Amino acid sequence: MDRRALLRLAASLSATGALPRWAWSSPGWGNDPFALGVASGDPAPDGFVLWTRLLPPEPGAANGPATVRWELAHDDRFRQIVRTGTATALPELAHSVHVELRGLTPGRWYHYRFLHGNAASPTGRTRTAPAPSDPAPRLRLAFASCQRWEHGYYAAWADVCRHAPDLILFLGDYIYEYASPADPSGLARVHALRHARTLADFRDRYALHRSDPALQSAHAAAPWAVTWDDHEVENDYAGWTGKDTDAAAFADLRAAAYQAFYEHMPLRAATLQAGGGFGGLQLYRRLAWGRLARLHLLDARQFRSRQACRLPGSGAGAVRPGECAELADPARSFLGMEQERWLDAGLAQDAAPGGDGTGTPRWSVIAQQTLFSPRRTPSGRQGTDSWDGYPAARERLLASIAGHAPRNTVFLGGDIHQNYVCEVRAPTRDGDVLASEFCGTSISSRAGTAQDRVDAIARLNPHVLLARSDLRGWGLADVTPQRWTTVLRTVDDPLRADSGCSTLARFVVEDGRPGPVGG
């Protein structure tokens, strides 16, 4: 969607109320229009997206459009400025700004900032991806998910910054829609926001999360590539199915949540689907890192089929396969059939010789929301909200990987608030290892699952190499043409903002040898 079309879309949206009073009494708020920080995202070889959101100068102010200046430089003191420009911050989009830059040098770092009146934003650091034909000898990739405000501080993000990644993948549950529990016992912090139902509610929730200094630092440290899961809208929602039995009411809720997500993420205008307003966002996409890696970033919420045997007005649950025939229905999809075809075509391209001289990627990365590998449980019950609830869809993806045979395939996931490392095996009697999987734990959200239960699951599933439910943190992947190395970083004490972090485990995937090996 071009600029003119975006402005037409924004004009069709209704403005909402001012920020809540709690925002203005919190440290760092007030007359600083850049109190929510800066961000960048979706690096391409010639550019990226720059983001910020202006806050009004006083509570209750009904501001109109505002002009924001931006600067891009080679140095953090802005003595070697590369580009400058202006952007319009529209009230219809919460005064958010999305600047898309093109024509830059591939494979290099830049610094950026925004200016409004006499105020200057924090300085952000970002980079372009390597050129398509570049062998790109290294990629340092951070991946993370699930950061419920009350459950813990964001010490994990400070640790991410210390490791200086090239790219940060966020795999869902950036916010949680819930109000704070009535009993604050055992929580790191609470907030006064109600359960999010309206556009104003969701805007307030993103403003709350983005007020955290550690999260702001991580956004300013490197470009992000983001997708979502369920809590950006409502727990366990699937496509157009929510817990609200009134379909029209859920459609309005989803549209409000989708708009707030776009407003607060460094996403390109093309994310807005032409003619659909905020009824849908084009969030699944591909990002290339030279000839080293290609990332297939998926959307496992917007297009999925309703969970099997789910009762009206309820969330997802667990079922016994023999008591739920719907579970095996081949027509059901975790990604939606169109996205399944798109992913299949991308994996075919990853395996085909490069006709444009760029060659094929060494690593094909399937970045999605949750655990891909199956989990047999001692009870015999099967979860319906993960890939386990869509076995036919999982088999189709495994067949795609086996049939096209990209050189190396790695799954990244989140959602379950647990660390899992798995061999991804074919659904055949021999069970050949096709790929590797690293499903990360949460930044702060509690697991709600005891370690002894996870240990029992691991014993029943020999493809599970590591399973831990008792720690929070993030994942670091160092990628070279010869090997993929994942280090699982965990927070020592999630109830401390200044908590230290340590390494839980290290796994290596060698080029041409599917399956992680501890090391």
Side-chain angles (χ1 to χ4, degrees):
M1 185 177 293
D2 62 21
R3 177 181 174 85
R4 186 172 299 174
L6 176 60
L7 292 177
R8 287 199 300 268
L9 174 63
S12 71
L13 303 174
S14 59
T16 59
L19 287 164
R21 287 282 177 181
W22 63 263
W24 299 99
S25 61
S26 300
W29 295 74
N31 290 329
D32 178 6
F34 299 110
L36 300 186
V38 299
S40 67
D42 280 16
D46 67 339
F48 33 68
V49 181
L50 303 181
W51 174 94
T52 193
R53 176 189 165 190
L54 291 182
L55 294 177
E58 58 185 28
N63 288 350
T67 298
V68 179
R69 293 169 288 149
W70 55 266
E71 295 178 341
L72 185 76
H74 287 316
D75 65 305
D76 61 1
R77 304 189 73 175
F78 292 85
R79 291 173 176 171
Q80 303 176 55
I81 293 180
V82 179
R83 297 272 187 91
T84 63
T86 61
T88 301
L90 292 168
E92 294 87 353
L93 291 176
H95 291 99
S96 63
V97 173
H98 299 73
V99 176
E100 297 185 36
L101 295 182
R102 296 182 176 87
L104 301 175
T105 303
R108 74 160 296 156
W109 287 93
Y110 293 89
H111 295 83
Y112 65 94
R113 66 183 177 186
F114 295 91
L115 305 161
H116 180 67
N118 295 323
S121 75
T123 296
R125 185 170 179 260
T126 190
R127 62 165 298 162
T128 51
S133 59
D134 191 333
R138 185 173 296 275
L139 166 64
R140 173 160 274 206
L141 179 69
F143 59 97
S145 63
C146 304
Q147 50 184 20
R148 184 164 178 178
W149 179 266
E150 306 97 311
H151 285 185
Y153 288 104
Y154 293 166
W157 284 124
D159 194 51
V160 170
C161 294
R162 287 190 287 269
H163 285 78
D166 295 302
L167 179 66
I168 297 172
L169 281 180
F170 194 82
L171 300 175
D173 292 345
Y174 190 95
I175 63 167
Y176 280 68
E177 75 279 24
Y178 305 126
S180 284
D183 181 3
S185 301
L187 300 178
R189 48 190 174 179
V190 296
H191 61 78
L193 300 177
R194 68 175 188 171
H195 190 115
R197 302 293 299 177
T198 67
L199 178 56
D201 293 340
F202 284 108
R203 285 173 170 172
D204 292 347
R205 196 61 56 96
Y206 282 101
L208 171 71
H209 283 67
R210 280 191 169 272
S211 70
D212 185 274
L215 179 55
Q216 285 193 14
S217 295
H219 272 296
W224 286 44
V226 300
T227 187
W228 53 25
D229 197 20
D230 52 343
H231 288 290
E232 287 88 354
V233 180
E234 182 179 82
N235 184 41
D236 289 349
Y237 91 94
W240 291 102
T241 302
K243 293 181 181 178
D244 195 324
T245 55
D246 184 336
F250 180 73
D252 290 342
L253 168 68
R254 197 182 92 152
Y258 281 16
Q259 178 175 343
F261 183 85
Y262 175 77
E263 290 172 348
H264 291 85
M265 295 295 151
L267 293 167
R268 298 181 184 275
T271 305
L272 304 172
Q273 291 185 340
F278 284 100
L281 297 184
Q282 180 56 51
L283 206 57
Y284 63 86
R285 58 207 188 277
R286 294 189 238 277
L287 299 173
W289 203 262
R291 290 164 53 191
L292 178 65
R294 192 153 71 137
L295 283 67
H296 307 270
L297 191 57
L298 306 186
D299 174 355
R301 282 293 166 186
Q302 186 175 186
F303 309 109
R304 69 157 69 184
S305 305
R306 179 183 56 79
Q307 294 91 346
C309 300
R310 176 176 173 177
L311 299 175
S314 70
V319 299
R320 295 186 184 279
E323 299 172 359
C324 179
E326 185 183 7
L327 193 70
D329 184 351
R332 297 177 63 254
S333 176
F334 192 65
L335 303 173
M337 291 302 183
E338 182 177 341
Q339 188 177 184
E340 281 195 30
R341 290 189 290 269
W342 171 88
L343 180 56
D344 177 71
L347 294 173
Q349 292 169 5
D350 285 357
D356 56 1
T358 63
T360 56
R362 187 66 60 100
W363 301 90
S364 299
V365 185
I366 301 177
Q368 43 88 55
Q369 282 68 44
T370 190
L371 183 68
F372 177 77
S373 297
R375 285 187 295 181
R376 293 174 55 212
T377 65
S379 69
R381 296 177 67 84
Q382 194 162 308
T384 61
D385 194 53
S386 68
W387 284 93
D388 274 344
Y390 302 79
R394 179 166 53 202
E395 289 194 14
R396 288 193 293 270
L397 180 48
L398 288 170
S400 178
I401 296 170
H404 298 306
R407 181 163 178 155
N408 301 289
T409 303
V410 176
F411 283 84
L412 298 178
D415 174 55
I416 60 174
H417 311 169
Q418 303 169 47
N419 275 310
Y420 267 78
V421 178
C422 303
E423 297 174 334
V424 177
R425 297 182 180 179
T428 60
R429 185 172 183 178
D430 295 333
D432 293 338
V433 179
L434 300 177
S436 306
E437 178 172 24
F438 303 98
C439 184
T441 187
S442 61
I443 287 287
S444 61
S445 305
R446 294 171 177 166
T449 301
Q451 184 60 40
D452 57 356
R453 182 173 182 272
V454 174
D455 291 340
I457 291 173
R459 287 193 292 270
L460 286 175
N461 296 271
H463 58 278
V464 175
L465 308 183
L466 180 145
R468 289 290 294 270
S469 67
D470 56 337
L471 298 167
R472 285 165 258 186
W474 63 285
L476 175 67
D478 277 307
V479 188
T480 70
Q482 293 76 34
R483 64 186 54 85
W484 174 298
T485 303
T486 291
V487 175
L488 301 176
R489 298 283 295 170
T490 56
V491 176
D492 297 337
D493 184 356
L495 300 185
R496 290 180 58 95
D498 61 350
S499 173
C501 295
S502 55
T503 294
L504 168 66
R506 178 179 179 271
F507 285 85
V508 173
V509 183
E510 298 288 348
D511 175 36
R513 294 183 179 181
V517 177

